[in-house]
């Protein structure tokens, strides 16, 4: 537990695109007399508009990553661009180390996964308001392994991050799979061996976390790869 003076309330703004989750966070926060909610936002644009409105201030912003209009990445990039210095705790369902590192590079002060929010959110708010960093236990474990040079499995990440893990050749194969070409046809078109195409196919299934070619095609269309 972090020691924060009882003389001053900690004011918190919550941003998430799910009202029910916001209500759950508020319910947990309301159990602590030192913390008080100061409004909430349902989109990234609402977050920016709120903080840019004169008189609106919060000691801590609890920020989701995937929100409509502008996502959490874009919110932090905007804060950096216009010089808004804000304590931020990321509250996300994503636990991929690349996501965590990206948010840290953009200036977040803490990172909690949503399935651990209940037990960590109050301590996280007090720590970050006190100038410290805070991570839920699962994120701590990932960071420790990374710092120690150990292998960290690929975690859950937004689609745009998964796309960045694909090689140019894997993207070529994905495009042809999405156009309903089979492996021999792909091998012929790309001048590759059949086993090489099958390896690319397996890598795509693993990286994009789908089970079959239909899943690959859906991913490609959804992310405007084809």
């Amino acid at each position: 537990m972090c020691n924060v003076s009882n003389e001053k309330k900690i004011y918190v703004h919550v941003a998430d695109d799910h009202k029910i989750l916001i209500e759950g966070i508020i319910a947990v926060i309301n159990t602590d007399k030192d913390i008080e909610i100061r409004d909430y936002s349902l989109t990234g644009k609402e977050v920016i508009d709120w903080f840019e409105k004169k008189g609106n201030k919060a000691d801590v912003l609890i920020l989701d990553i995937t929100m409509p209009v502008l996502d959490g990445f874009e919110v932090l990039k905007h804060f950096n661009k216009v010089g808004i210095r804000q304590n931020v705790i990321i509250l996300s369902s994503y636990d991929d180390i690349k996501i965590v590192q990206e948010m840290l590079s953009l200036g977040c002060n803490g990172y909690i996964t949503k399935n651990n929010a209940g037990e960590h959110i109050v301590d996280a708010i007090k720590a970050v308001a006190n100038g410290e960093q805070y991570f839920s236990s699962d994120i701590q474990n990932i960071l420790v392994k990374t710092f120690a040079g150990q292998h960290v499995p690929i975690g859950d990440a937004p689609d745009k991050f998964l796309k960045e893990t694909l090689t140019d050749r894997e993207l070529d194969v994905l495009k042809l799979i999405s156009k309903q070409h089979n492996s021999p046809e792909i091998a012929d078109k790309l001048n590759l061996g059949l086993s090489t195409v099958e390896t690319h196919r397996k890598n795509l299934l693993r990286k994009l976390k789908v089970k079959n070619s239909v899943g690959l095609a859906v991913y490609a269309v959804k992310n405007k790869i084809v």
Side-chain angles (χ1 to χ4, degrees):
M1 292 285 289
C2 302
N3 295 320
V4 176
S5 172
N6 290 331
E7 295 177 6
K8 182 179 179 294
K9 286 270 191 182
I10 301 171
Y11 294 103
V12 176
H13 186 86
V14 183
D16 193 284
D17 61 335
H18 294 98
K19 185 79 179 294
I20 191 168
L21 190 137
I22 289 176
E23 290 170 352
I25 293 170
I26 291 173
V28 173
I29 287 173
N30 284 342
T31 64
D32 193 291
K33 59 181 173 47
D34 296 330
I35 307 172
E36 188 173 307
I37 292 293
R38 184 160 280 178
D39 218 339
Y40 65 86
S41 298
L42 295 169
T43 73
K45 186 176 186 306
E46 287 180 13
V47 177
I48 289 172
D49 289 346
W50 191 88
F51 277 93
E52 290 189 339
K53 187 175 180 180
K54 189 174 181 180
N56 282 352
K57 291 182 180 179
D59 298 301
V60 177
L61 165 63
I62 297 173
L63 180 66
D64 188 18
I65 291 178
T66 51
M67 291 185 295
V69 190
L70 297 173
D71 62 23
F73 297 104
E74 292 165 314
V75 169
L76 292 189
K77 286 175 182 176
H78 179 80
F79 281 0
N80 291 334
K81 182 180 178 182
V82 301
I84 294 176
R85 301 191 65 172
Q86 176 62 47
N87 291 325
V88 178
I89 297 169
I90 299 299
L91 179 62
S92 175
S93 55
Y94 300 123
D95 62 356
D96 187 89
I97 184 60
K98 290 182 181 177
I99 306 299
V100 179
Q101 290 172 331
E102 175 73 5
M103 297 315 276
L104 285 170
S105 73
L106 290 173
C108 83
N109 310 85
Y111 197 113
I112 301 173
T113 49
K114 287 184 178 179
N115 59 341
N116 286 290
E119 62 183 289
H120 287 285
I121 195 70
V122 169
D123 284 349
I125 290 168
K126 291 186 175 184
V128 168
N130 206 34
E132 303 169 27
Q133 285 190 320
Y134 191 99
F135 304 97
S136 54
S137 49
D138 50 347
I139 298 299
Q140 281 185 42
N141 291 337
I142 292 170
L143 288 170
V144 168
K145 286 182 179 179
T146 304
F147 293 149
Q150 298 176 27
H151 172 70
V152 177
I154 296 173
D156 288 329
D159 284 344
K160 69 178 183 181
F161 264 78
L162 295 179
K163 181 180 175 182
E164 290 175 7
T165 68
L166 303 182
T167 65
D168 290 341
R169 185 55 85 192
E170 285 169 349
L171 283 170
D172 291 338
V173 172
L174 178 58
K175 289 173 185 175
L176 291 173
I177 290 174
S178 303
K179 294 175 182 176
Q180 300 185 351
H181 292 290
N182 59 33
S183 291
E185 290 169 341
I186 294 171
D188 183 56
K189 284 182 175 291
L190 298 179
N191 196 25
L192 298 172
L194 184 60
S195 62
T196 301
V197 172
E198 288 300 326
T199 298
H200 286 316
R201 184 187 290 271
K202 288 176 183 176
N203 287 339
L204 285 166
L205 293 172
R206 175 178 57 80
K207 286 183 177 182
L208 301 182
K209 299 182 180 181
V210 296
K211 296 180 179 179
N212 49 40
S213 296
V214 174
L216 291 175
V218 168
Y219 177 90
V221 171
K222 181 181 176 184
N223 291 277
K224 300 178 181 178
I225 293 171
V226 292

